[in-house]
Structures are given as C-alpha cells and as structure tokens.
Amino acid sequence: MFKKILIANRGEIALRIVSACKELGIATVAVYSEVDRNSMHVRFADEAVCVGPARNYESYLNVPSVISAAEITNVDAIHPGYGFLAESAYFAEVCETCHIKFIGPSPRVIDMVGEKARSREIMQQAGVPVLPGTGLLEKEFATAARLAQSIGYPLIIKASAGGGGRGMRIVRNEGDLARAFDSAQSEAASAFGSSRVYLERYLERPRHIEFQILADEHGNVIHLGERECSIQRRHQKLLEESPSVIMTPELRADIGAKVVEAIRKIGYTNAGTVEFLFDEEGNYYFIEMNTRIQVEHPITEIVTGFDIVKEQICIAAGEKRRYRQEDVHLQGHSLECRINAEDPISFAPCPGHISAFHPPGGPGVRVDTAAYTDGDISPHYDSLVAKVIVHGRDRAESLARMKRALEMFVIEGIKTSIPLHQKILSNPDFVRGKLSTGFVDDLRREY
Ligand code: MV4
C-alpha cells in the first residue's frame, strides 16, 4: 500500500481524498495556488506545496510544478480528483515516467476512452446500444452530408476529443449542416486541439443516466448501479439521485452486465463512469465514458456502502479486490444537490466572502465541503461551495430530508443556488420523477 499520496486538486474533492487517505493510514501532500493558502485541504494534509499563482495553468494545471512537488515530497502516487488533470493521458504518462502511480486508468485507456467516437465503437462491439451515427470525421464534409442522410434529422455533431457537452452542435435540417459542421470543427480544434467530430441522431429531452464502474488490476469488475443526472443546465449537473425512478432490478442487471463486459474487454482499471441517454420509450444508448471520480460519487457511496475513493487508492496500489456483483445492493434512495456560489435566477457566479457557514446535520445528511465561516469562494475556480447529500428509506423521505437540510443550511455573505434547488424539489413533475435534460429550461420558463 502507498505510504504517501499527493492530491493534485483543491476544494471539496481534495478534502474528500485527504479523508480517504487518513482512514487508510496514508500520508498526504496538498498542492495549492497562492490564493488557496488558507484552504481546508492545505490545513488537513500532512504536507503542502505552493505550485504557483491563482491562474489554473500556472498552478493546478502546471504539470512541471505538480510533478516537482511530488518529487520533493517523495510521494508514491498522485490522486487527480476530477477536473484539472484528472483525464489528461499526458499527465498520467508523465507520472508513469517519474515512477509515480497515477490513481486512475492507464494512459492508453485514458487516450482510447477520451476519443469519444472510438469509445462509441468499442461499446457497440461489446453489444452496448448506441444511437445511429458515424465514426470519426476529419475534414470530409461530403462524407458527413452523405451519412447524415442515413442518420436522419435532428442530429448532433460532437467533438470526439471533447465531452461534457463542449463543442456540440444540434442540426435540425440538411440546410444547416454545412455551417454547423464547420463551426463544430473549428471549436473542437481550438478547444481540444483536434477538429475530429462525429455525428449522432439527436434525442430530444432524454434522461441522462450513468453507471458507476469499479475495476481492479486483476480482472475483477463490478458496477455500483446508476445515477440519474438529468437535472442540469448547460451541461452543468445541479442535482443527482440514485437509484433512477425508471430503473428496474432487471434492467439495471442487464445494462450493468453489458457495461462490465465492455470494461473488461478494453482492459479498463480503477473507477469509471459510463453515460447513457434514455428516450421516452425507455430505450437506452451509450454516449460517452469518463475516466475519473465524478462530483456526484457520494450518492452511489451512500446507497451501496462502498467508499469509491478508497477503492480507487486500493486498486491503484495493485490490491486484489474480491468484488462480487451479488454483494452490490442499492439500499434506500440518495439525492445530491450541488450548492454553487451563484445567483439562483441568472446563474451568474457570485464568488465572495462567507460571513457565516453552518451546514445541516441530523439523520441521513452528509455535506461534502471545504468552505468555512470567514472563508472565501475564489473567482478563479468553479463556484461549487458544498454538496448536500441525503439518504432516505425511499425517494419521498429523501425529498423531505433534502428540503429540510437546505432550509437548515446557513450560508451568509454570498448568493447560492439553494433557492433554485428548493424550486426543483417542490416542482410536481420532479416529485413525480418526470425528469429529462430539458427539465431546468422548462422550470425557468415557468418562473
Ligand atoms: C446527446 C444528447 C442528445 N442526443 N447526444 C451532453 C453532454 C454529454 N454528456 C452528452 N450530452 C448529450 N448528448 C445525443 N445524440 C443530449 C445530451 C445532453 C444535453 C444536450 C444539450 C443540452 C443539455 C444536455 C444535458 C445532458 C445531456
């Protein structure tokens, strides 16, 4: 097992990883930018190294600086968290070259899965349903136009090196294809350094559901069920839940088995998330895969009892995890609300000074946060202040518990998205479980 791990991240996920390391008896090294000097992850790590000024590229994305911090503190491994360098095959490669274990999949797998058109093909070959679409398209518009005919409209153009909704273009008729194809390719080239795109039939108002995977380095692979992530705005998830109201034990087992088989085939190791869209008839389609721990991982931890971050560390240390799918059961219902420092109406980020901070507690409430009274939410990084996660015996109890927890969450000095969550939780369609990726847009039209 590792003796010391460097955490190449900040905020709540850095603190989450410190917690897992402490419980495993592993020493921790925090890295921080100049504006994060007084952060909680710095306070609770055993050692801390300043890696540069506030700007991402000069600190948390500064590979030479982060690797130097790892070298001088003589760590065995690096946990990248989510965002920043978490899905950088280059960073994983540099870690390997420096004989530092990257806590995540191998650089080869990160590269392969990161090419979204390629991961579509891999899943399709493994018998996982995908939407009608194409493989990789470079410059050839003529090919795209021909293939678009067979896919049908509406279709969506996606950046193959993208993900998370960046560089996507929805095309509703043939006349719009040429312009959309050009702009998608140029955005992909500037945002991801690759103009490769692919086409897919576009699903209007789907449900967005993802499966959590754990795979050790000895061929043991399990899934930990699904997370419903349809409540999002512009590809930013706001509220997630597990299980999904549309999932049955049979469907979960069927999809889970297909996903586990595909993961085994590609030689995937560590934690991963496989994303699906569900249409109104309940048909499901693979869209993409993520090779990192997700923000919303706690709802899966709560309903399954697994500590996913600890599993990531044990897997990376080469431990044989005696996973058995029959040992995985989802107990009760869990909800997570992401509390952002933002205006609840305009969604404009509202960083600032927190004059009072008192998180809710009581039965079935977990709050993952690095915020504190008299702390600051920086304008340099994402606006996440805290994740409120609740567990109930069923969805109704989870809803009631989340409403109570948000009502008892004291955050003064900054605006937050709590009022928006309270609107969502009281919305009749939400209460009925009638969700889709269009839910938040519909909600905003009503208010
Ligand atoms: C789609 C889709 C509909 N049809 N693909 C968004 C980010 C990434 N996870 C994939 N995403 C989607 N892919 C097809 N073929 C709908 C989404 C999607 C979405 C799209 C536009 C606006 C908000 C969205 C929220 C979740 C999923």
Side-chain angles (χ1 to χ4, degrees), residues 131 156 158 165 200-203 232 235 275 277 288 437:
L131 284 154
I156 187 168
K158 292 182 173 180
E200 270 183 349
R201 166 82 57 72
Y202 179 67
L203 283 189
Q232 49 185 293
H235 313 296
E275 291 189 21
L277 298 178
E288 62 188 69
T437 56

Side-chain angles (χ1 to χ4, degrees), residues 27-42:
T28 52
V29 176
V31 293
Y32 62 94
S33 68
E34 289 161 2
V35 294
D36 276 346
R37 186 173 305 281
N38 299 318
S39 298
M40 278 294 168
H41 75 287
V42 173

Side-chain angles (χ1 to χ4, degrees), residues 15 75 88 102 125 150 200 203 205 214 222 243 259 304 317 343 362 395 411 415 429:
L15 204 56
V75 302
S88 163
F102 176 81
Q125 285 153 15
S150 55
E200 270 183 349
L203 283 189
R205 307 175 64 78
L214 280 179
I222 52 170
V259 166
T304 62
D343 182 292
R395 189 171 191 261
I411 306 178
K415 284 186 206 171
D429 282 344

Side-chain angles (χ1 to χ4, degrees), residues 2-236:
F2 304 126
K3 289 188 175 53
K4 195 189 290 190
I5 289 176
L6 181 142
I7 298 145
N9 217 300
R10 64 180 299 281
E12 67 88 14
I13 192 60
L15 204 56
R16 171 74 185 82
I17 298 162
V18 167
S19 303
C21 290
K22 281 182 181 294
E23 291 179 19
L24 290 170
I26 298 171
T28 52
V29 176
V31 293
Y32 62 94
S33 68
E34 289 161 2
V35 294
D36 276 346
R37 186 173 305 281
N38 299 318
S39 298
M40 278 294 168
H41 75 287
V42 173
R43 175 173 174 168
F44 288 111
D46 297 296
E47 298 173 70
V49 180
C50 182
V51 286
R55 278 184 299 280
N56 286 351
Y57 284 93
E58 297 184 88
S59 50
Y60 296 104
L61 289 175
N62 183 336
V63 171
S65 200
V66 170
I67 293 294
S68 302
E71 298 276 11
I72 61 174
T73 54
N74 193 26
V75 302
D76 306 303
I78 293 180
H79 196 307
Y82 53 66
F84 294 127
L85 297 167
E87 297 194 282
S88 163
Y90 165 69
F91 179 65
E93 194 80 54
V94 171
C95 290
E96 267 192 12
T97 309
C98 299
H99 307 298
I100 299 167
K101 181 76 176 179
F102 176 81
I103 298 176
S106 66
R108 174 189 68 82
V109 164
I110 295 174
D111 242 349
M112 177 168 63
V113 167
E115 184 73 63
K116 304 299 178 188
R118 177 90 182 90
S119 57
R120 234 175 74 90
E121 285 167 358
I122 292 166
M123 286 294 173
Q124 192 170 22
Q125 285 153 15
V128 176
V130 296
L131 284 154
T134 70
L136 270 182
L137 296 170
E138 277 288 353
K139 293 286 178 206
E140 65 272 23
F141 174 67
T143 312
R146 178 170 49 78
L147 294 171
Q149 288 306 327
S150 55
I151 294 170
Y153 292 89
L155 57 80
I156 187 168
I157 306 172
K158 292 182 173 180
S160 190
R166 294 168 300 168
M168 287 173 23
R169 291 287 184 289
I170 300 163
V171 185
R172 297 197 178 278
N173 57 62
E174 189 176 3
D176 296 340
L177 184 62
R179 183 194 304 270
F181 191 73
D182 282 350
S183 68
Q185 287 203 313
S186 51
E187 181 179 342
S190 59
F192 315 115
S194 152
S195 63
R196 289 194 300 272
V197 296
Y198 62 102
L199 310 183
E200 270 183 349
R201 166 82 57 72
Y202 179 67
L203 283 189
E204 303 276 7
R205 307 175 64 78
R207 278 177 183 267
H208 197 192
I209 293 175
E210 61 189 26
F211 271 70
Q212 179 68 55
I213 288 293
L214 280 179
D216 73 9
E217 297 180 349
H218 307 276
N220 300 312
V221 186
I222 52 170
H223 72 84
L224 297 182
E226 79 283 352
R227 293 186 289 259
E228 171 82 60
C229 303
S230 299
I231 306 300
Q232 49 185 293
R233 176 182 174 270
R234 290 190 189 160
H235 313 296
Q236 286 302 317

Side-chain angles (χ1 to χ4, degrees), residues 376-411:
D376 295 302
I377 299 299
S378 168
H380 296 283
Y381 310 111
D382 73 32
S383 62
L384 183 66
V385 177
K387 298 174 339 193
V388 179
I389 305 110
V390 300
H391 191 206
R393 284 164 298 184
D394 54 28
R395 189 171 191 261
E397 184 171 65
S398 274
L399 289 184
R401 187 155 280 167
M402 181 61 86
K403 283 181 180 175
R404 184 274 293 173
L406 295 180
E407 196 186 323
M408 297 174 76
F409 200 163
V410 176
I411 306 178

